[in-house]
Amino acid sequence: MTEQKGTPEEVSASDSAKVETSPTEDKKNSKIRKATNIILIVVSFLFVFHLIADRFIPSTDLGRI
């Protein structure tokens, strides 16, 4: 078990200082979050398209005419 040093007020003050971020960090995190969401949406769409296309338009290298 970890032992906290200082009074509860000091501990909570130090915890809240760690959580606060500057506006530039918020903008950077927002851009990263937006890019991540876009990538996840695109990958999800491509996965669903692959499942549907594989079901209705099967293809193979071993096909013959």
Side-chain angles (χ1 to χ4, degrees), residues 3-63:
E3 186 175 313
Q4 295 179 351
K5 296 182 181 183
T7 64
E9 293 83 18
E10 292 171 345
V11 172
S12 65
S14 67
D15 287 344
S16 65
K18 292 177 186 176
V19 174
E20 295 175 10
T21 59
S22 68
T24 56
E25 289 178 3
D26 289 340
K27 287 181 182 179
K28 184 178 178 183
N29 288 339
S30 176
K31 288 181 181 179
I32 292 171
R33 184 173 292 121
K34 185 175 180 180
T36 303
N37 287 339
I38 290 170
I39 291 169
L40 287 174
I41 289 169
V42 169
V43 169
S44 298
F45 173 77
L46 290 174
F47 177 71
V48 170
F49 175 76
H50 172 72
L51 291 177
I52 293 171
D54 190 47
R55 179 72 176 149
F56 292 107
I57 311 167
S59 63
T60 180
D61 293 341
L62 303 174

